[in-house]
Amino acid sequence: MAAPLPCYHCALPVTTGHAFSAVVLKEPRVFCCPGCQAVAQTIIAGGLESYYLHRSESSTNPEALPGVLPDELLLLDRQDIQEPFVSISDAISETQLLIEGITCAACGWLIEKHLRQIPGVVETTLNLSNHRLSIRWDAEQIMLSDLLKTIRLIGYAAHPWQPDTVSLQMQSENKRALRKLGVAGLLWMQVMMASMATWPEFNLDLSPAMDSLLRWVSLILTTPIVFYCSSEFFYGALRDLRTRHLTMDVSVSMAIAGAYVAGIWSTVTGQGDLYFDAAGMFALFLLSGRYLERRARERTSAATTNLVNLLPASCLRLNADGSSERILLKELQQGDQLLVPPGSLIPADGRIATGVSSIDESLLTGEYLPLSKKPGDSVVAGTLNIEGPLTIDVLALGEATQLSAIVRLLERAQSLKPRLAELADTVAQWFLISVLLIAAIVGLVWWQIDSSRAFWIVLSLLVATCPCALSLATPTALTAATGSLHKLGLLITKGHVLESFQKVDTVIFDKTGTLTEGKLTLKQIITTAALSENTCLELAAALESHSEHPIARAFGRTTLTAQNVHSAPGLGLEGSVNEQTLRIGRPDYVSALGDYPAPAMPSAQGQWLLLGNSQQPLAWFALDDKLRDDAPALLKTCRARGWKVLLLSGDSSPMVQDIAEQLQIDDARGSLTPDDKLQVLKELHNQGRHVLMLGDGVNDVPVLAAADISIAMGSATDLAKTTADAILLSNRLSSLVSALQIAKKTRRVIIENFAWATLYNGLIIPFAAIGWVTPGWAALGMSVSSLLVVLNAMRLTHFSEAT
């Protein structure tokens, strides 16, 4: 009997005949169920049919587990590991799994259908909105690892889902802040309409009964704004008063409470103007500003967590009899011996006992080429083993690793980071003290002149001079400028960046991935035999296509096929192409194939690889990291501003000095650790310099955190981006030139806003003090003042068009 055909999508056996089929890649294909058929048709309809050309063998092999080793899944069968996320009731286990790869409802149907057919599975329910699968099963009939394996076999990845307390708390706070903002905006619009209807200027024939009704409606609508939406202002004011410190919360609370109390008095007595619209406006404006600030701060809150996530969750420990056992990282102890297969992260600091390989340390050092490692060499946790298996003696774990040292450097740098005083808060504080003193004096004077008017005049003074315009002067300008910079590909994550640009006098550049593109490119081919450059390139590409080394990407693709390719870590590759044995790599390794003398490298610059056969060398290939095209323009701008320029890199190759010479950078240093870079920054700070740092790697994180302004490239690590004050999403250094121009105009707009806000408050005080400003005009004047500040800031949104 013939074996059943495999499903073209998930590779499971097709046991229902050929009822489900579709044309994929111009050929009819069979599927095991309508779910797989629907998924395939969705992929084709979305123009992604080439997925089936490029998917790896593991995605069509039922025995393969992409990205996860079988023994890693077996760890999840342990009771102590299941305890945090598996509950057991009446001998039935229950958990929630996070499913990756879901694209539509057909995916959910497919997952649930396959799992329900498995003996021992009691119930499965997939929530398509959050991709969480709730599953109940009998652990005596089937293990959790088998369920995860089944899910992976049909093309999806599943992970135990556990709620992150910090993340859930932040999400809850965000929802609460957004809810308060929405309620304040909705109710304020209604209050504004009701209050304006009571103004004599708008309704001269309003009946007393309708006037009273509108006042009570305004009171009812304003009450949630004051006691719900504005609660954080009152809590903040009480906190600050206990510490004898005047802040914006004190000023805002006084204005909101005063306006609300005055509105209640007006409503009950039926006399005077309403202040409810002013209270709602204060709350709406300030809640909007605080919500935006909250979202900006969150972008940097997970930096340390991201560093820890560089380590693998489990590792292979070698036992005394030479067998390997997969254990959790927390079970590892100093002195243990590890087996690290190629393609795996190194879980702890240690020393190589046996094996030769190349280690990618780019995340920690910034060096773009993997380093050759041999027995006796040290390795660092969080780095990647590329070529050969290694046996490692564990020397340091947890807090003692270099990765943890970088975490501590990051935390220390963040705590030492200069905090530029926000001009708005400082001015508002002194202005508040002045207004309170003036209000007290005016109140005493009017109490002597006409006690019936004293309260209303003092209240009008407080409302008219509420420093909303002063508080909006900086945030609105920064928000508008930030939007313009975003269009240019520069994302500002912290508000002080544009203000601080004017103080910068020193700039530090990383090399790899910042001034250079961070990837090797083929720059030159020199043939040494009777073969063309294209032929040699085809032969080299055929060999390199079997390698995961970063060097292999520089050779591109070829139609030739190499057989019997094997890697010699740190030396090169050997294989057969068109029935001839070839080697590519170090000259001595290649020449050993035919026992001929190793030729001398054509140049000391760049990375040179030799291609040869058993008779002779065939060609030299020069590889190098390409300098970004717009780097010279940026350096020219920096020098034109008189800035001191430094190049600090973790790369130990001669390319550091080569780049420095090309860009005319006098101070260039290589082979620097994160601590070395931080020490250089501290020296610059001790000299009174304001430093701008541009980098992209984990090794740059402490300096990015401690610099006055830090900018991460868009291609940077997630950690670098969350730590930086700005992210160059476009990876175009030319955007920084435009950013400097926008910063200059932003500073001018901020000064104009402060000038107007100060002028308005200075002029309104005497008029309010003599009783010429009514409550309605006080609220209107404050609104107009704030509106003019916002409109002036909006001019920055058109800056990108002007440049």
Side-chain angles (χ1 to χ4, degrees):
M1 182 177 178
L5 293 173
C7 173
Y8 189 69
H9 181 72
C10 70
L12 289 179
V14 178
T15 58
T16 57
H18 297 178
F20 309 109
S21 63
V23 176
V24 183
L25 300 175
K26 300 180 180 181
E27 292 186 18
R29 314 288 183 177
V30 294
F31 301 92
C32 64
C33 64
C36 286
Q37 181 190 42
V39 172
Q41 290 172 339
T42 301
I43 290 174
I44 297 169
L48 303 174
E49 190 174 9
S50 58
Y51 157 78
Y52 290 106
L53 285 173
H54 302 295
R55 60 177 175 174
S56 63
E57 183 181 354
S58 63
S59 64
T60 59
N61 181 2
E63 299 303 321
L65 293 174
V68 176
L69 299 174
D71 52 357
E72 284 184 284
L73 293 180
L74 292 176
L75 281 175
L76 295 176
D77 292 335
R78 286 172 38 178
Q79 201 167 28
D80 58 328
I81 297 177
Q82 288 187 5
E83 185 175 351
F85 61 89
V86 175
S87 60
I88 301 176
S89 176
D90 297 330
I92 299 299
S93 300
E94 182 176 357
T95 190
Q96 283 193 330
L97 303 176
L98 183 64
I99 309 297
E100 296 181 8
I102 294 177
T103 58
C104 62
C107 297
W109 181 92
L110 174 65
I111 293 171
E112 291 181 350
K113 173 181 179 294
H114 274 275
L115 291 178
R116 287 170 183 168
Q117 294 175 347
I118 299 175
V121 174
V122 177
E123 181 183 1
T124 61
T125 305
L126 180 64
N127 187 331
L128 286 173
S129 62
N130 56 23
H131 294 183
R132 288 184 203 158
L133 175 70
S134 297
I135 183 168
R136 301 176 67 234
W137 76 98
D138 185 351
E140 293 184 0
Q141 296 188 54
I142 186 169
M143 306 300 289
L144 178 58
S145 60
D146 294 325
L147 295 174
L148 296 176
K149 181 177 179 180
T150 300
I151 294 172
R152 289 179 179 273
L153 290 179
I154 58 176
Y156 304 91
H159 311 281
W161 181 83
Q162 298 182 67
D164 184 339
T165 304
V166 176
S167 298
L168 291 178
Q169 182 180 357
M170 291 176 63
Q171 290 177 11
S172 176
E173 291 176 355
N174 280 337
K175 290 179 180 179
R176 184 165 58 249
L178 191 58
R179 186 163 52 245
K180 287 184 176 183
L181 179 60
V183 170
L186 180 63
L187 293 181
W188 173 70
M189 288 189 289
Q190 311 306 317
V191 171
M192 193 67 186
M193 289 189 291
S195 299
M196 290 178 64
T198 66
W199 295 0
E201 295 87 347
F202 289 93
N203 290 285
L204 302 177
D205 57 348
L206 190 67
S207 66
M210 182 58 70
D211 180 83
S212 177
L213 177 61
L214 290 173
R215 290 173 183 270
W216 281 102
V217 168
S218 298
L219 170 60
I220 294 171
L221 293 175
T222 305
T223 299
I225 298 178
V226 174
F227 289 98
Y228 173 64
C229 302
S230 305
S231 58
E232 62 182 81
F233 301 130
F234 294 108
Y235 287 132
L238 289 174
R239 180 193 63 239
D240 296 331
L241 288 175
R242 290 194 191 102
T243 59
R244 299 180 181 181
H245 183 61
L246 289 177
T247 64
M248 279 294 298
D249 282 339
V250 177
S251 173
V252 171
S253 298
M254 290 181 60
I256 293 176
Y260 182 66
V261 170
I264 294 176
W265 175 263
S266 243
T267 300
V268 173
T269 62
Q271 300 175 359
D273 295 326
L274 293 176
Y275 280 89
F276 294 133
D277 53 337
M281 181 179 58
F282 295 158
L284 180 62
F285 279 7
L286 293 159
L287 284 172
S288 299
R290 294 198 176 187
Y291 178 75
L292 294 175
E293 290 175 8
R294 176 192 298 273
R295 299 296 294 180
R297 287 195 303 268
E298 285 179 9
R299 295 189 182 100
T300 60
S301 63
T304 304
T305 303
N306 288 343
L307 251 184
V308 176
N309 288 340
L310 290 176
L311 294 178
S314 63
C315 57
L316 287 173
R317 182 176 61 191
L318 291 176
N319 300 320
D321 58 0
S323 62
S324 62
E325 175 189 10
R326 184 162 293 276
I327 62 171
L328 292 177
L329 188 60
K330 64 182 181 182
E331 298 176 300
L332 191 63
Q333 297 181 359
Q334 188 172 345
D336 285 346
Q337 196 168 67
L338 297 176
L339 174 63
V340 182
S344 300
L345 289 170
I346 295 175
D349 289 359
R351 182 176 293 108
I352 297 176
T354 61
V356 178
S357 184
S358 296
I359 304 297
D360 183 356
E361 298 184 349
S362 59
L363 281 177
L364 298 179
T365 67
E367 189 161 353
Y368 66 96
L369 284 177
L371 302 179
S372 297
K373 297 286 186 176
K374 60 183 183 303
D377 290 343
S378 299
V379 291
V380 180
T383 56
L384 179 66
N385 180 23
I386 292 181
E387 294 181 295
L390 295 175
T391 301
I392 296 174
D393 294 324
V394 177
L395 301 179
L397 290 166
E399 294 297 319
T401 63
Q402 290 189 32
L403 188 62
S404 295
I406 293 181
V407 173
R408 291 193 293 273
L409 285 173
L410 170 61
E411 293 173 345
R412 186 177 68 185
Q414 288 175 333
S415 65
L416 297 175
K417 186 171 184 175
R419 299 187 62 184
L420 301 177
E422 295 189 9
L423 185 58
D425 284 345
T426 303
V427 173
Q429 182 175 348
W430 286 104
F431 180 78
L432 176 59
I433 296 174
S434 303
V435 167
L436 291 177
L437 291 174
I438 293 172
I441 295 172
V442 169
L444 290 174
V445 171
W446 273 101
W447 186 262
Q448 302 297 325
I449 298 174
D450 185 353
S451 59
S452 64
R453 298 185 61 192
F455 172 76
W456 298 102
I457 288 176
V458 169
L459 185 58
S460 296
L461 178 63
L462 291 175
V463 172
T465 57
C466 182
C468 280
L470 284 171
S471 300
L472 290 170
T474 300
T476 50
L478 293 178
T479 300
T482 298
S484 294
L485 289 174
H486 196 190
K487 295 177 184 177
L488 295 174
L490 182 66
L491 176 63
I492 302 295
T493 61
K494 296 181 184 177
H496 72 86
V497 172
L498 289 169
E499 293 176 273
S500 304
F501 259 136
Q502 302 301 317
K503 299 181 180 180
V504 170
D505 54 20
T506 304
V507 59
I508 296 176
F509 290 105
D510 178 44
K511 178 185 71 68
T512 306
T514 304
L515 292 177
T516 68
E517 294 182 351
K519 58 183 180 180
L520 289 173
T521 57
L522 184 60
K523 298 188 67 175
Q524 187 180 4
I525 302 176
I526 301 176
T527 60
T528 59
L531 294 176
S532 67
E533 292 183 2
N534 288 336
T535 301
C536 293
L537 179 59
E538 290 279 326
L539 295 173
L543 291 175
E544 294 289 353
S545 64
H546 292 262
S547 174
E548 296 297 328
H549 199 285
I551 286 178
R553 303 188 190 104
F555 288 88
R557 296 184 178 182
T558 179
T559 57
L560 295 180
T561 303
Q563 292 84 28
N564 303 320
V565 178
H566 64 269
S567 170
L571 300 175
L573 297 170
E574 178 181 332
S576 299
V577 181
N578 293 336
E579 299 183 354
Q580 67 168 328
T581 302
L582 299 171
R583 281 187 180 181
I584 185 170
R586 283 175 37 175
D588 53 346
Y589 170 70
V590 174
S591 61
L593 178 63
D595 198 23
Y596 47 80
M601 290 186 182
S603 171
Q605 305 298 324
Q607 176 84 10
W608 288 91
L609 298 180
L610 180 65
L611 173 70
N613 56 23
S614 57
Q615 288 78 38
Q616 60 183 335
L618 300 178
W620 284 102
F621 297 93
L623 306 175
D624 218 337
D625 193 3
K626 183 181 178 183
L627 184 69
R628 292 187 186 273
D629 296 334
D630 46 7
L634 177 59
L635 268 295
K636 182 179 179 181
T637 301
C638 294
R639 283 191 289 268
R641 286 176 167 260
W643 290 357
K644 177 182 177 67
V645 179
L646 294 88
L647 174 59
L648 305 182
S649 176
D651 193 348
S652 58
S653 71
M655 191 175 180
V656 176
Q657 295 302 324
D658 295 342
I659 294 296
E661 292 177 5
Q662 293 181 54
L663 297 176
Q664 300 177 11
I665 300 175
D666 297 329
D667 193 346
R669 313 177 196 181
S671 303
L672 298 184
T673 65
D675 201 11
D676 294 335
K677 293 186 178 184
L678 193 57
Q679 290 300 322
V680 174
L681 179 62
K682 287 182 179 179
E683 293 174 5
L684 294 171
H685 277 159
N686 292 336
Q687 298 171 12
R689 291 188 170 274
H690 295 270
V691 181
L692 165 66
M693 170 66 187
L694 188 65
D696 76 321
V698 171
N699 62 314
D700 299 319
V701 166
V703 191
L704 288 170
D708 299 273
I709 302 179
S710 55
I711 300 177
M713 302 297 290
S715 56
T717 62
D718 289 340
L719 179 61
K721 288 190 283 190
T722 54
T723 305
D725 300 324
I727 304 171
L728 195 58
L729 298 174
S730 64
N731 285 321
R732 295 194 307 269
L733 297 178
S734 57
S735 296
L736 292 181
V737 179
S738 300
L740 297 176
Q741 298 172 359
I742 292 178
K744 182 177 181 180
K745 185 172 182 179
T746 301
R747 177 180 174 83
R748 184 168 68 249
V749 168
I750 291 174
I751 293 175
E752 292 170 355
N753 284 349
F754 273 118
W756 161 251
T758 304
L759 177 63
Y760 161 76
N761 284 288
L763 291 176
I764 202 68
I765 287 176
F767 290 103
I770 61 179
W772 286 7
V773 179
T774 64
W777 285 110
L780 182 62
M782 195 274 293
S783 301
V784 171
S785 174
S786 300
L787 182 60
L788 287 176
V789 166
V790 173
L791 292 176
N792 187 44
M794 288 301 102
R795 294 191 298 122
L796 291 169
T797 61
H798 304 293
F799 187 83
S800 59
E801 299 174 6
T803 57

